């Protein structure tokens, strides 16, 4: 839709389902390796460093052992600190499924993607030729890869995860060294962390460099230096360690110089991963600390263009981190109420309504859909999820700036879809029959960890593009005979463990996803023009997954329904 002035970060390649299959493959490989080790060393007696008479077999087996031991897998069960064991038991399978299980952890996913892209191929190819059972293991792994439709050795997953980790680190002001130790935030979900290696940190830093997030790259490289200095294990020889040291300091110099060059050329505009002072003069940690407490200001005047501005980006980060940018005076005018919104149908089950913004009106609704309804919708959507498309210059494209997976559920799919559409009609007072073109087909979206949608507006600017250009654009009118998207109703289908807010950078407000709730706003002004104040974004999911569904309501069918004068939402 309109907006997306920046290129987004994480490519939408690795969906939750695909990542889950990667984790499964790693588990299968680990299982096969365990049996292999047991077969050759029944008593599992293996010196850490091979000194035996058959050095190649001993070295191989010690590498196998390392592969098994280095990653604790997800067998260390999902545990939130403070939760009793009993509660842990009660975490239903359903809950784990909707949160993506272990695939919802971007650090563990990165570790597994690296194991499959680098460690397993190295191990596979370096096995001594005398090992006659090794061939069978390789064949078995290949068969599982085929069945799971994922290829070990493919580094697109790894690249996507490195990129999204760099973005998560930047947007949520995370600490690279803390991440390197296997901790995403201060909430502990696993008994045993899955720490990163120096090469992982360099991978994230390179991804940051490629995205011109130079300050972010500097922080990851500094953390890599730190880890490298700590690595005193005898298995790494000191020459290799020194070489790595040199590489890291060279990369660091490049990142600092690139940061300072970009700053000098463009000035500080609040770009991703760029700090206001030259890094060669003011240390990164001081600048990061200063940024932490700084509250961005909202622009006094709306921009002339519809794309997002640097000030939107500054507000985005602040809002995604859970702060608000509205004044106390405005906040004091926001209300909650119980309402049937003029619908006879809703008198029996009035809605819990909460103002998010008064002008333009954005309202949220609580406890609107039940867990059972949402489970049905998610299971209907899951098999149909495809990488999100947006309309681009060359037709439909997978959008780098919309890292999520999408499914469309027509009214004919299931009675639950029809009942959601009925609720949408009662709640908005608008005509939303998708079969009649009054609204678009219900869209179900799943974001994995790192999944996000950069600031955009939901309208297509049909008004501007068809009328204001000075001549009528007939093809646009033909393509959208029912007009632009007058309003958005979005349902939150799960509780997102961390991250994933919906934020409005120009209104200075945000909403945290809450299972069963929904949010509604008008995209168009009474004139039919797009309301640019509705610029909004989906903050990246930090942990878990996020499910939402959208009802986009069309303009022309509402001629007799939409109030002609603002404010259009009844107070
Ligand atoms: O997921 C969200 O919070 C926002 C999604 C959105 O803006 C969209 O799908 O157009
Ligand atoms: Fe949107």
């Amino acid at each position: 839709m309109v907006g997306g002035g920046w290129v987004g970060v994480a490519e939408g390649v690795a969906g939750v389902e695909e990542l889950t299959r990667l984790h499964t493959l790693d588990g299968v490989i680990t299982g096969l390796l365990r049996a292999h080790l047991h077969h050759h060393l029944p008593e599992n007696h293996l010196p850490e460093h091979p000194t035996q008479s058959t050095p190649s077999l001993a070295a191989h087996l010690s590498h196998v052992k390392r592969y098994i031991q280095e990653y604790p897998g997800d067998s260390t069960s999902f545990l939130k600190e403070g939760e009793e064991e009993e509660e842990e038991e009660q975490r239903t399978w359903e809950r784990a499924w909707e949160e993506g299980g272990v695939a919802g952890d971007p650090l563990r996913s990165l570790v597994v993607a690296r194991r499959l892209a680098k460690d397993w191929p190295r191990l596979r190819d370096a096995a001594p030729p005398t090992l006659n059972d090794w061939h069978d293991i390789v064949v078995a792994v290949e068969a599982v890869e085929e069945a799971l439709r994922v290829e070990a050795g493919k580094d697109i997953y790894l690249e996507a995860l490195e990129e999204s980790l760099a973005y998560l680190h930047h947007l949520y002001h995370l600490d690279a060294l803390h991440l390197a130790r296997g901790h995403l935030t201060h909430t502990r979900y696993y008994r045993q962390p899955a720490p990163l290696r120096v090469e992982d940190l360099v991978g994230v830093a390179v991804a940051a460099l490629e995205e011109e997030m130079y300050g972010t790259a500097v922080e990851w490289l500094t953390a890599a230096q730190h880890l490298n200095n700590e690595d005193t294990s005898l298995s790494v020889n000191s020459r290799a360690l020194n070489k790595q040291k040199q590489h890291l300091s060279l990369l660091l110099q490049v990142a600092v110089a690139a940061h300072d060059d970009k700053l000098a050329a463009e000035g500080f505009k609040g770009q991703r991963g760029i700090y206001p002072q030259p890094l060669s003069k003011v240390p990164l940690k001081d600048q990061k600390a200063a940024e932490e407490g700084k509250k961005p200001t909202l622009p006094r005047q709306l921009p002339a263009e519809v794309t997002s501005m640097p000030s939107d980006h500054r507000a985005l980060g602040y809002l995604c981190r859970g702060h608000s940018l509205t004044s106390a005076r405005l906040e004091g005018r926001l209300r909650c109420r119980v309402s049937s919104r003029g619908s006879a149908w809703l008198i029996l089950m009035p809605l819990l309504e909460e103002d998010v913004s008064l002008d333009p009106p954005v309202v949220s609704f609580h406890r609107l859909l039940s867990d059972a309804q949402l489970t049905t919708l998610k299971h209907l959507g899951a098999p149909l999820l495809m990488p999100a498309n947006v309309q681009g210059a060359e037709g439909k494209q997978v959008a780098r700036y919309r890292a999520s997976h999408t499914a469309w559920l027509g009214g004919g799919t299931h009675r639950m879809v029809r009942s959601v559409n009925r609720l949408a009609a009662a709640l908005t007072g608008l005509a939303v029959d998708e079969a009649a073109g009054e609204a678009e087909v219900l869209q179900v979206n799943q974001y994995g960890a790192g999944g996000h949608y950069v600031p955009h507006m939901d309208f297509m600017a049909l008004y501007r593009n068809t009328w204001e250009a000075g001549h009528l654009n007939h093809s646009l009118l033909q393509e959208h005979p029912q007009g632009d998207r007058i309003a958005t109703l979005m349902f939150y289908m799960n509780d997102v463990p961390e991250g994933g807010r919906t934020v409005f950078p120009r209104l200075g407000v945000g909403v945290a996803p809450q299972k069963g709730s929904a949010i509604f706003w008008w995209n168009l002004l009474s004139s039919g023009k797009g309301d640019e104040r509705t610029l909004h974004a989906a903050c990246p999911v930090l942990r878990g997954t996020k499910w939402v569904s959208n009802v986009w309501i069309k303009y022309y069918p509402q001629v007799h329904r939409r109030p002609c004068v603002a404010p259009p939402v009844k107070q």
Side-chain angles (χ1 to χ4, degrees):
M1 296 302 95
V2 183
W6 325 301
V7 179
V9 191
E11 282 209 50
V13 283
V16 177
E17 217 229 281
E18 211 168 359
L19 284 181
T20 306
R21 287 187 264 124
L22 281 191
H23 282 274
T24 307
L25 176 60
D26 186 63
V28 169
I29 294 177
T30 309
L32 288 166
L33 293 181
R34 221 175 245 134
H36 174 69
L37 202 60
H38 190 69
H39 174 72
H40 289 276
L41 291 163
E43 64 292 351
N44 210 357
H45 192 70
L46 185 72
E48 283 303 325
H49 307 293
T51 53
Q52 288 172 343
S53 51
T54 50
S56 68
L57 176 66
H60 164 77
L61 294 178
S62 96
H63 291 146
V64 167
K65 193 174 174 189
R66 185 166 171 203
Y67 191 98
I68 296 169
Q69 289 179 343
E70 209 177 35
Y71 175 59
D74 62 346
S75 56
T76 43
S77 85
F78 212 52
L79 172 71
K80 206 167 171 180
E81 206 157 35
E83 273 181 354
E84 299 295 329
E85 295 287 315
E86 227 173 277
E87 272 180 74
E88 185 196 347
E89 299 273 307
Q90 284 167 7
R91 273 178 166 273
T92 58
W93 181 88
E94 189 62 41
R95 173 92 182 265
W97 175 76
E98 73 182 21
E99 287 180 2
V102 68
D105 186 315
L107 282 175
R108 283 178 126 76
S109 292
L110 179 83
V111 168
V112 160
R114 181 254 298 150
R115 284 160 70 77
L116 294 176
K118 296 182 179 170
D119 302 351
W120 163 246
R122 272 180 214 149
L123 194 60
R124 182 190 59 204
D125 302 338
T130 45
L131 272 180
N132 41 20
D133 66 327
W134 190 249
H135 176 71
D136 298 341
I137 291 178
V138 173
V139 170
V141 170
E142 279 167 4
V144 176
E145 279 179 57
E146 204 175 320
L148 290 174
R149 285 172 288 125
V150 283
E151 267 178 59
K154 227 183 182 181
D155 49 14
I156 50 161
Y157 311 113
L158 183 59
E159 282 172 11
L161 288 157
E162 286 166 346
E163 222 174 289
S164 62
L165 207 54
Y167 187 46
L168 287 172
H169 165 260
H170 157 71
L171 197 81
Y172 288 113
H173 286 182
L174 305 177
D175 181 276
L177 198 56
H178 190 67
L179 291 163
R181 307 231 187 271
H183 307 292
L184 193 57
T185 55
H186 292 287
T187 314
R188 206 160 62 94
Y189 276 78
Y190 291 89
R191 286 202 187 88
Q192 233 179 306
L196 305 182
R197 278 199 211 144
V198 171
E199 66 175 315
D200 300 328
L201 273 67
V202 174
V204 177
V206 169
L209 284 177
E210 282 169 358
E211 292 292 323
E212 301 190 340
M213 298 165 68
Y214 301 121
T216 309
V218 167
E219 199 183 324
W220 282 88
L221 289 168
T222 312
Q225 271 187 333
H226 204 97
L227 276 200
N228 200 46
N229 292 341
E230 271 177 7
D231 193 350
T232 51
S233 68
L234 294 171
S235 61
V236 184
N237 71 44
S238 62
R239 261 190 71 198
L241 217 57
N242 268 337
K243 193 143 199 168
Q244 187 136 297
K245 226 180 218 170
Q246 280 172 9
H247 279 158
L248 285 175
S249 75
L250 213 64
L251 268 173
L252 201 53
Q253 280 174 32
V254 169
V256 168
H259 175 276
D260 293 358
D261 280 355
K262 183 158 176 158
L263 191 65
E266 297 178 18
F268 180 67
K269 292 195 276 179
Q271 312 93 311
R272 296 176 327 194
I274 298 288
Y275 290 86
Q277 306 292 328
L279 291 173
S280 51
K281 301 220 168 71
V282 185
L284 175 91
K285 80 173 167 26
D286 295 346
Q287 296 198 51
K288 209 177 165 191
E291 206 184 61
E292 203 78 32
K294 216 185 273 164
K295 187 171 172 175
T297 43
L298 292 178
R300 279 175 199 281
Q301 254 183 324
L302 268 185
E305 5 90 73
V306 280
T307 50
S308 42
M309 310 181 299
S311 62
D312 296 327
H313 190 205
R314 279 199 287 272
L316 170 81
Y318 196 75
L319 296 169
C320 284
R321 292 190 290 277
H323 307 294
S324 156
L325 280 170
T326 47
S327 64
R329 191 178 58 83
L330 273 180
E331 223 158 75
R333 289 176 50 210
L334 302 177
R335 296 282 177 272
C336 292
R337 61 199 150 262
V338 177
S339 149
S340 59
R341 296 181 68 84
S343 152
W345 195 56
L346 291 175
I347 289 175
L348 293 175
M349 49 167 202
L351 306 172
L352 305 175
E353 225 180 284
E354 180 179 347
D355 294 327
V356 177
S357 155
L358 292 180
D359 183 23
V362 179
V363 204
S364 71
F365 299 95
H366 299 279
R367 282 186 257 153
L368 202 55
L369 294 182
S370 68
D371 286 3
Q373 283 173 307
L374 293 168
T375 298
T376 306
L377 289 177
K378 284 192 292 254
H379 282 282
L380 287 171
L384 305 172
L385 288 170
M386 298 286 284
N389 275 320
V390 290
Q391 197 69 37
E394 287 129 41
K396 287 233 165 115
Q397 296 163 341
V398 173
R400 279 169 62 78
Y401 48 86
R402 187 176 185 193
S404 72
H405 281 58
T406 294
W408 300 90
L409 295 180
T413 317
H414 194 275
R415 64 183 167 74
M416 198 58 80
V417 178
R418 293 191 289 281
S419 100
V420 168
N421 289 341
R422 251 193 326 272
L423 178 64
L427 181 152
T428 59
L430 301 174
V432 301
D433 180 358
E434 39 104 344
E438 294 164 349
E440 287 174 44
V441 171
L442 186 73
Q443 188 200 49
V444 174
N445 258 301
Q446 187 194 27
Y447 303 84
H452 64 281
Y453 195 171
V454 300
H456 65 280
M457 291 120 184
D458 283 353
F459 56 83
M460 290 165 262
L462 282 186
Y463 184 100
R464 196 181 47 137
N465 293 336
T466 51
W467 307 100
E468 281 190 351
H471 59 276
L472 268 180
N473 184 333
H474 289 284
S475 71
L476 260 182
L477 286 177
Q478 262 162 14
E479 217 178 302
H480 303 281
Q482 305 288 16
D484 214 328
R485 291 168 171 171
I486 189 173
T488 298
L489 175 64
M490 188 175 78
F491 296 94
Y492 293 103
M493 303 168 78
N494 73 324
D495 290 316
V496 182
E498 293 185 79
R501 295 171 75 89
T502 307
V503 299
F504 294 79
R506 291 178 185 170
L507 307 179
V509 295
V511 174
Q514 231 178 16
K515 191 171 184 176
S517 67
I519 177 170
F520 175 83
W521 69 91
W522 299 92
N523 294 306
L524 305 182
L525 298 163
S526 312
S527 62
K529 275 189 179 179
D531 188 342
E532 279 147 33
R533 296 171 299 173
T534 62
L535 183 89
H536 61 281
C539 301
V541 172
L542 183 51
R543 184 197 302 279
T545 67
K546 173 182 170 190
W547 292 80
V548 292
S549 52
N550 283 306
V551 181
W552 280 304
I553 303 162
K554 305 310 284 277
Y555 181 55
Y556 294 127
Q558 320 307 334
V559 166
H560 301 296
R561 293 172 190 264
R562 182 193 171 147
C564 5
V565 242
V569 171
K570 290 197 192 102
Q571 299 293 324

